[in-house]
Amino acid sequence: MRDPDKMPAHEDWLPDFPGSVDLDTVRTEHELLHVMRRCTGKFGFSHFLIARLPENELQRFSERLTVSNWPAELVRRYDALGLFHESRLVADASVTKRPVYGDGRLFACAADDDPRNGEAAALFESLGLEASLAFLLHSTQGEPYILVFSGRREPLARPDLAELYFISVQLFECLEKAFTLGLEPREKLSGREAECLRWAAAGKSSEEIAIILGISVYTVSSYFKSAARKLQAVNRMQAIACALRLKLI
């Protein structure tokens, strides 16, 4: 990604950010997550994610996920369904620059007769992701990303929709800046930390990783905590996403 600090600014058409947040001070993914939580709540949503659009069916959802506040169990179960690359969300967002709306079926397969669709819709609705709004965004190098806000609410009115779109552009620019400033972790991951993240990315639980590596579950948990600290991540899923992006696992 090109350095966003070197990009021309057009502050005259950008709306004020909610809560008078100074986005110029946002430098890390941790800070960005905090701001995104505030923005998500302001517009009546409960969950958010930013993910790269899949390039092929072999790329798992967890490998495309960049930042989110989704519960780890939701990420794991959705990843196991293998639906992201052929979801209605990806299909619709890939062919329009307009906002994409949908209910729990938005994350299901675009083919209505897919047997996994019922399970996917029930999964999202059970966790309160009953309605979603998605924007297609591009990095300065043209890589397609999708930003999704989900929760229980009616579609936004046009003025709120326009405001949220421009705020999303600002948030994505902050994410690019965080990528640029955080290309390397401050400390190197140990071999065990990398192994735990690698097995977790493959869908293994802490108990399964403990058996595979011949260590206790407590020790596995400590490796996750130290890896997250080194990667400046707030949880296991974000640490996995960061390690994958940096090609550390």
Side-chain angles (χ1 to χ4, degrees), residues 87-114:
S87 66
R88 190 177 304 278
L89 171 66
V90 170
D92 290 352
S94 298
V95 296
T96 182
K97 291 183 173 62
R98 297 180 180 182
V100 174
Y101 278 108
D103 55 19
R105 292 171 294 182
L106 189 64
F107 291 93
C109 183
D112 293 332
D113 59 350
D114 191 289

PDB file of all heavy atoms in Angstrom, residues 87-114:
ATOM      1  N   SER A  87     -20.314 -16.158  -1.400  1.00  0.00           N
ATOM      2  CA  SER A  87     -21.448 -15.569  -0.703  1.00  0.00           C
ATOM      3  C   SER A  87     -22.139 -14.505  -1.561  1.00  0.00           C
ATOM      4  O   SER A  87     -21.549 -13.939  -2.493  1.00  0.00           O
ATOM      5  CB  SER A  87     -20.994 -14.934   0.611  1.00  0.00           C
ATOM      6  OG  SER A  87     -20.136 -13.827   0.359  1.00  0.00           O
ATOM      7  N   ARG A  88     -23.387 -14.225  -1.197  1.00  0.00           N
ATOM      8  CA  ARG A  88     -24.118 -13.150  -1.868  1.00  0.00           C
ATOM      9  C   ARG A  88     -23.424 -11.811  -1.618  1.00  0.00           C
ATOM     10  O   ARG A  88     -23.421 -10.927  -2.484  1.00  0.00           O
ATOM     11  CB  ARG A  88     -25.553 -13.112  -1.346  1.00  0.00           C
ATOM     12  CG  ARG A  88     -26.486 -12.205  -2.137  1.00  0.00           C
ATOM     13  CD  ARG A  88     -27.908 -12.291  -1.605  1.00  0.00           C
ATOM     14  NE  ARG A  88     -28.395 -13.660  -1.596  1.00  0.00           N
ATOM     15  CZ  ARG A  88     -28.894 -14.281  -2.667  1.00  0.00           C
ATOM     16  NH1 ARG A  88     -28.928 -13.643  -3.821  1.00  0.00           N
ATOM     17  NH2 ARG A  88     -29.328 -15.527  -2.583  1.00  0.00           N
ATOM     18  N   LEU A  89     -22.834 -11.659  -0.440  1.00  0.00           N
ATOM     19  CA  LEU A  89     -22.111 -10.449  -0.101  1.00  0.00           C
ATOM     20  C   LEU A  89     -20.996 -10.171  -1.103  1.00  0.00           C
ATOM     21  O   LEU A  89     -20.895  -9.075  -1.667  1.00  0.00           O
ATOM     22  CB  LEU A  89     -21.531 -10.572   1.306  1.00  0.00           C
ATOM     23  CG  LEU A  89     -20.560  -9.482   1.762  1.00  0.00           C
ATOM     24  CD1 LEU A  89     -21.260  -8.140   1.874  1.00  0.00           C
ATOM     25  CD2 LEU A  89     -19.924  -9.861   3.101  1.00  0.00           C
ATOM     26  N   VAL A  90     -20.148 -11.166  -1.338  1.00  0.00           N
ATOM     27  CA  VAL A  90     -19.029 -11.006  -2.271  1.00  0.00           C
ATOM     28  C   VAL A  90     -19.534 -10.833  -3.691  1.00  0.00           C
ATOM     29  O   VAL A  90     -19.038  -9.992  -4.455  1.00  0.00           O
ATOM     30  CB  VAL A  90     -18.064 -12.197  -2.160  1.00  0.00           C
ATOM     31  CG1 VAL A  90     -17.039 -12.174  -3.285  1.00  0.00           C
ATOM     32  CG2 VAL A  90     -17.358 -12.181  -0.808  1.00  0.00           C
ATOM     33  N   ALA A  91     -20.535 -11.620  -4.066  1.00  0.00           N
ATOM     34  CA  ALA A  91     -21.078 -11.546  -5.427  1.00  0.00           C
ATOM     35  C   ALA A  91     -21.648 -10.154  -5.714  1.00  0.00           C
ATOM     36  O   ALA A  91     -21.395  -9.570  -6.773  1.00  0.00           O
ATOM     37  CB  ALA A  91     -22.151 -12.612  -5.613  1.00  0.00           C
ATOM     38  N   ASP A  92     -22.415  -9.608  -4.771  1.00  0.00           N
ATOM     39  CA  ASP A  92     -23.042  -8.303  -4.984  1.00  0.00           C
ATOM     40  C   ASP A  92     -22.020  -7.165  -4.915  1.00  0.00           C
ATOM     41  O   ASP A  92     -22.053  -6.235  -5.729  1.00  0.00           O
ATOM     42  CB  ASP A  92     -24.142  -8.071  -3.954  1.00  0.00           C
ATOM     43  CG  ASP A  92     -25.353  -8.971  -4.180  1.00  0.00           C
ATOM     44  OD1 ASP A  92     -25.387  -9.668  -5.221  1.00  0.00           O
ATOM     45  OD2 ASP A  92     -26.254  -8.990  -3.309  1.00  0.00           O
ATOM     46  N   ALA A  93     -21.131  -7.227  -3.926  1.00  0.00           N
ATOM     47  CA  ALA A  93     -20.152  -6.146  -3.757  1.00  0.00           C
ATOM     48  C   ALA A  93     -19.160  -6.076  -4.908  1.00  0.00           C
ATOM     49  O   ALA A  93     -18.588  -5.016  -5.174  1.00  0.00           O
ATOM     50  CB  ALA A  93     -19.402  -6.328  -2.434  1.00  0.00           C
ATOM     51  N   SER A  94     -18.951  -7.188  -5.587  1.00  0.00           N
ATOM     52  CA  SER A  94     -17.979  -7.242  -6.679  1.00  0.00           C
ATOM     53  C   SER A  94     -18.465  -6.567  -7.954  1.00  0.00           C
ATOM     54  O   SER A  94     -17.660  -6.307  -8.856  1.00  0.00           O
ATOM     55  CB  SER A  94     -17.615  -8.700  -6.990  1.00  0.00           C
ATOM     56  OG  SER A  94     -17.016  -9.324  -5.877  1.00  0.00           O
ATOM     57  N   VAL A  95     -19.769  -6.290  -8.040  1.00  0.00           N
ATOM     58  CA  VAL A  95     -20.312  -5.767  -9.295  1.00  0.00           C
ATOM     59  C   VAL A  95     -20.950  -4.387  -9.134  1.00  0.00           C
ATOM     60  O   VAL A  95     -21.568  -3.880 -10.066  1.00  0.00           O
ATOM     61  CB  VAL A  95     -21.355  -6.746  -9.896  1.00  0.00           C
ATOM     62  CG1 VAL A  95     -20.693  -8.060 -10.271  1.00  0.00           C
ATOM     63  CG2 VAL A  95     -22.511  -6.987  -8.929  1.00  0.00           C
ATOM     64  N   THR A  96     -20.798  -3.766  -7.964  1.00  0.00           N
ATOM     65  CA  THR A  96     -21.385  -2.445  -7.770  1.00  0.00           C
ATOM     66  C   THR A  96     -20.576  -1.639  -6.773  1.00  0.00           C
ATOM     67  O   THR A  96     -19.922  -2.206  -5.897  1.00  0.00           O
ATOM     68  CB  THR A  96     -22.846  -2.558  -7.274  1.00  0.00           C
ATOM     69  OG1 THR A  96     -23.402  -1.235  -7.144  1.00  0.00           O
ATOM     70  CG2 THR A  96     -22.913  -3.252  -5.916  1.00  0.00           C
ATOM     71  N   LYS A  97     -20.605  -0.329  -6.953  1.00  0.00           N
ATOM     72  CA  LYS A  97     -19.989   0.575  -5.977  1.00  0.00           C
ATOM     73  C   LYS A  97     -21.032   1.106  -5.008  1.00  0.00           C
ATOM     74  O   LYS A  97     -20.722   1.884  -4.108  1.00  0.00           O
ATOM     75  CB  LYS A  97     -19.285   1.724  -6.689  1.00  0.00           C
ATOM     76  CG  LYS A  97     -18.035   1.288  -7.454  1.00  0.00           C
ATOM     77  CD  LYS A  97     -17.345   2.481  -8.090  1.00  0.00           C
ATOM     78  CE  LYS A  97     -16.017   2.059  -8.711  1.00  0.00           C
ATOM     79  NZ  LYS A  97     -16.209   1.073  -9.778  1.00  0.00           N
ATOM     80  N   ARG A  98     -22.289   0.724  -5.200  1.00  0.00           N
ATOM     81  CA  ARG A  98     -23.354   1.142  -4.298  1.00  0.00           C
ATOM     82  C   ARG A  98     -23.308   0.319  -3.010  1.00  0.00           C
ATOM     83  O   ARG A  98     -22.783  -0.788  -2.997  1.00  0.00           O
ATOM     84  CB  ARG A  98     -24.709   0.969  -4.978  1.00  0.00           C
ATOM     85  CG  ARG A  98     -24.914   1.833  -6.217  1.00  0.00           C
ATOM     86  CD  ARG A  98     -26.282   1.597  -6.810  1.00  0.00           C
ATOM     87  NE  ARG A  98     -26.501   2.410  -8.002  1.00  0.00           N
ATOM     88  CZ  ARG A  98     -27.637   2.423  -8.702  1.00  0.00           C
ATOM     89  NH1 ARG A  98     -28.649   1.645  -8.313  1.00  0.00           N
ATOM     90  NH2 ARG A  98     -27.758   3.186  -9.764  1.00  0.00           N
ATOM     91  N   PRO A  99     -23.871   0.856  -1.924  1.00  0.00           N
ATOM     92  CA  PRO A  99     -23.946   0.058  -0.687  1.00  0.00           C
ATOM     93  C   PRO A  99     -24.737  -1.225  -0.915  1.00  0.00           C
ATOM     94  O   PRO A  99     -25.683  -1.247  -1.713  1.00  0.00           O
ATOM     95  CB  PRO A  99     -24.683   0.991   0.288  1.00  0.00           C
ATOM     96  CG  PRO A  99     -24.478   2.366  -0.266  1.00  0.00           C
ATOM     97  CD  PRO A  99     -24.438   2.214  -1.753  1.00  0.00           C
ATOM     98  N   VAL A 100     -24.359  -2.273  -0.238  1.00  0.00           N
ATOM     99  CA  VAL A 100     -25.042  -3.562  -0.339  1.00  0.00           C
ATOM    100  C   VAL A 100     -25.761  -3.830   0.979  1.00  0.00           C
ATOM    101  O   VAL A 100     -25.139  -3.816   2.045  1.00  0.00           O
ATOM    102  CB  VAL A 100     -24.043  -4.694  -0.638  1.00  0.00           C
ATOM    103  CG1 VAL A 100     -24.728  -6.054  -0.590  1.00  0.00           C
ATOM    104  CG2 VAL A 100     -23.385  -4.477  -2.002  1.00  0.00           C
ATOM    105  N   TYR A 101     -27.056  -4.056   0.923  1.00  0.00           N
ATOM    106  CA  TYR A 101     -27.854  -4.371   2.096  1.00  0.00           C
ATOM    107  C   TYR A 101     -28.234  -5.847   2.073  1.00  0.00           C
ATOM    108  O   TYR A 101     -28.325  -6.464   1.017  1.00  0.00           O
ATOM    109  CB  TYR A 101     -29.159  -3.556   2.106  1.00  0.00           C
ATOM    110  CG  TYR A 101     -29.036  -2.152   2.637  1.00  0.00           C
ATOM    111  CD1 TYR A 101     -29.106  -1.053   1.775  1.00  0.00           C
ATOM    112  CD2 TYR A 101     -28.894  -1.903   4.000  1.00  0.00           C
ATOM    113  CE1 TYR A 101     -29.022   0.246   2.258  1.00  0.00           C
ATOM    114  CE2 TYR A 101     -28.806  -0.612   4.490  1.00  0.00           C
ATOM    115  CZ  TYR A 101     -28.875   0.457   3.610  1.00  0.00           C
ATOM    116  OH  TYR A 101     -28.790   1.724   4.102  1.00  0.00           O
ATOM    117  N   GLY A 102     -28.486  -6.404   3.263  1.00  0.00           N
ATOM    118  CA  GLY A 102     -28.987  -7.769   3.313  1.00  0.00           C
ATOM    119  C   GLY A 102     -29.223  -8.230   4.734  1.00  0.00           C
ATOM    120  O   GLY A 102     -28.780  -7.587   5.698  1.00  0.00           O
ATOM    121  N   ASP A 103     -29.934  -9.347   4.875  1.00  0.00           N
ATOM    122  CA  ASP A 103     -30.145  -9.946   6.190  1.00  0.00           C
ATOM    123  C   ASP A 103     -29.106 -11.042   6.413  1.00  0.00           C
ATOM    124  O   ASP A 103     -28.044 -11.025   5.785  1.00  0.00           O
ATOM    125  CB  ASP A 103     -31.576 -10.489   6.305  1.00  0.00           C
ATOM    126  CG  ASP A 103     -31.919 -11.475   5.186  1.00  0.00           C
ATOM    127  OD1 ASP A 103     -30.981 -12.010   4.551  1.00  0.00           O
ATOM    128  OD2 ASP A 103     -33.111 -11.719   4.955  1.00  0.00           O
ATOM    129  N   GLY A 104     -29.392 -11.996   7.285  1.00  0.00           N
ATOM    130  CA  GLY A 104     -28.426 -13.053   7.565  1.00  0.00           C
ATOM    131  C   GLY A 104     -28.039 -13.857   6.350  1.00  0.00           C
ATOM    132  O   GLY A 104     -26.950 -14.442   6.293  1.00  0.00           O
ATOM    133  N   ARG A 105     -28.909 -13.864   5.338  1.00  0.00           N
ATOM    134  CA  ARG A 105     -28.611 -14.615   4.118  1.00  0.00           C
ATOM    135  C   ARG A 105     -27.557 -13.942   3.248  1.00  0.00           C
ATOM    136  O   ARG A 105     -27.079 -14.540   2.282  1.00  0.00           O
ATOM    137  CB  ARG A 105     -29.900 -14.817   3.321  1.00  0.00           C
ATOM    138  CG  ARG A 105     -30.907 -15.748   4.005  1.00  0.00           C
ATOM    139  CD  ARG A 105     -32.245 -15.741   3.307  1.00  0.00           C
ATOM    140  NE  ARG A 105     -32.898 -14.433   3.431  1.00  0.00           N
ATOM    141  CZ  ARG A 105     -34.085 -14.148   2.945  1.00  0.00           C
ATOM    142  NH1 ARG A 105     -34.760 -15.080   2.289  1.00  0.00           N
ATOM    143  NH2 ARG A 105     -34.614 -12.947   3.107  1.00  0.00           N
ATOM    144  N   LEU A 106     -27.193 -12.697   3.585  1.00  0.00           N
ATOM    145  CA  LEU A 106     -26.171 -12.005   2.802  1.00  0.00           C
ATOM    146  C   LEU A 106     -24.841 -12.746   2.870  1.00  0.00           C
ATOM    147  O   LEU A 106     -24.052 -12.722   1.914  1.00  0.00           O
ATOM    148  CB  LEU A 106     -25.992 -10.580   3.336  1.00  0.00           C
ATOM    149  CG  LEU A 106     -25.109  -9.638   2.513  1.00  0.00           C
ATOM    150  CD1 LEU A 106     -25.715  -9.383   1.137  1.00  0.00           C
ATOM    151  CD2 LEU A 106     -24.905  -8.319   3.253  1.00  0.00           C
ATOM    152  N   PHE A 107     -24.575 -13.425   3.989  1.00  0.00           N
ATOM    153  CA  PHE A 107     -23.321 -14.161   4.147  1.00  0.00           C
ATOM    154  C   PHE A 107     -23.437 -15.601   3.657  1.00  0.00           C
ATOM    155  O   PHE A 107     -22.466 -16.348   3.708  1.00  0.00           O
ATOM    156  CB  PHE A 107     -22.895 -14.150   5.616  1.00  0.00           C
ATOM    157  CG  PHE A 107     -22.473 -12.801   6.110  1.00  0.00           C
ATOM    158  CD1 PHE A 107     -23.384 -11.945   6.720  1.00  0.00           C
ATOM    159  CD2 PHE A 107     -21.170 -12.361   5.950  1.00  0.00           C
ATOM    160  CE1 PHE A 107     -23.010 -10.688   7.173  1.00  0.00           C
ATOM    161  CE2 PHE A 107     -20.775 -11.105   6.403  1.00  0.00           C
ATOM    162  CZ  PHE A 107     -21.699 -10.264   7.019  1.00  0.00           C
ATOM    163  N   ALA A 108     -24.640 -15.988   3.207  1.00  0.00           N
ATOM    164  CA  ALA A 108     -24.845 -17.339   2.685  1.00  0.00           C
ATOM    165  C   ALA A 108     -24.445 -17.385   1.219  1.00  0.00           C
ATOM    166  O   ALA A 108     -24.068 -16.382   0.609  1.00  0.00           O
ATOM    167  CB  ALA A 108     -26.307 -17.751   2.858  1.00  0.00           C
ATOM    168  N   CYS A 109     -24.535 -18.566   0.632  1.00  0.00           N
ATOM    169  CA  CYS A 109     -24.149 -18.755  -0.765  1.00  0.00           C
ATOM    170  C   CYS A 109     -25.111 -18.006  -1.677  1.00  0.00           C
ATOM    171  O   CYS A 109     -26.323 -17.965  -1.437  1.00  0.00           O
ATOM    172  CB  CYS A 109     -24.125 -20.240  -1.102  1.00  0.00           C
ATOM    173  SG  CYS A 109     -23.577 -20.585  -2.798  1.00  0.00           S
ATOM    174  N   ALA A 110     -24.573 -17.432  -2.758  1.00  0.00           N
ATOM    175  CA  ALA A 110     -25.425 -16.723  -3.712  1.00  0.00           C
ATOM    176  C   ALA A 110     -26.398 -17.665  -4.407  1.00  0.00           C
ATOM    177  O   ALA A 110     -27.452 -17.241  -4.870  1.00  0.00           O
ATOM    178  CB  ALA A 110     -24.558 -16.004  -4.743  1.00  0.00           C
ATOM    179  N   ALA A 111     -26.038 -18.949  -4.464  1.00  0.00           N
ATOM    180  CA  ALA A 111     -26.941 -19.948  -5.037  1.00  0.00           C
ATOM    181  C   ALA A 111     -27.979 -20.332  -3.983  1.00  0.00           C
ATOM    182  O   ALA A 111     -27.639 -20.865  -2.927  1.00  0.00           O
ATOM    183  CB  ALA A 111     -26.157 -21.176  -5.489  1.00  0.00           C
ATOM    184  N   ASP A 112     -29.245 -20.056  -4.245  1.00  0.00           N
ATOM    185  CA  ASP A 112     -30.291 -20.245  -3.247  1.00  0.00           C
ATOM    186  C   ASP A 112     -30.459 -21.690  -2.795  1.00  0.00           C
ATOM    187  O   ASP A 112     -30.953 -21.940  -1.694  1.00  0.00           O
ATOM    188  CB  ASP A 112     -31.627 -19.727  -3.786  1.00  0.00           C
ATOM    189  CG  ASP A 112     -31.622 -18.212  -3.955  1.00  0.00           C
ATOM    190  OD1 ASP A 112     -30.874 -17.548  -3.207  1.00  0.00           O
ATOM    191  OD2 ASP A 112     -32.352 -17.713  -4.830  1.00  0.00           O
ATOM    192  N   ASP A 113     -30.060 -22.640  -3.632  1.00  0.00           N
ATOM    193  CA  ASP A 113     -30.291 -24.045  -3.300  1.00  0.00           C
ATOM    194  C   ASP A 113     -29.130 -24.690  -2.563  1.00  0.00           C
ATOM    195  O   ASP A 113     -29.119 -25.911  -2.347  1.00  0.00           O
ATOM    196  CB  ASP A 113     -30.600 -24.849  -4.570  1.00  0.00           C
ATOM    197  CG  ASP A 113     -29.467 -24.772  -5.594  1.00  0.00           C
ATOM    198  OD1 ASP A 113     -28.537 -23.960  -5.397  1.00  0.00           O
ATOM    199  OD2 ASP A 113     -29.517 -25.518  -6.596  1.00  0.00           O
ATOM    200  N   ASP A 114     -28.133 -23.905  -2.149  1.00  0.00           N
ATOM    201  CA  ASP A 114     -26.993 -24.482  -1.442  1.00  0.00           C
ATOM    202  C   ASP A 114     -27.447 -24.979  -0.070  1.00  0.00           C
ATOM    203  O   ASP A 114     -28.072 -24.219   0.689  1.00  0.00           O
ATOM    204  CB  ASP A 114     -25.874 -23.442  -1.275  1.00  0.00           C
ATOM    205  CG  ASP A 114     -24.572 -24.065  -0.799  1.00  0.00           C
ATOM    206  OD1 ASP A 114     -24.506 -24.474   0.381  1.00  0.00           O
ATOM    207  OD2 ASP A 114     -23.628 -24.143  -1.605  1.00  0.00           O
TER     208      ASP A 114
END
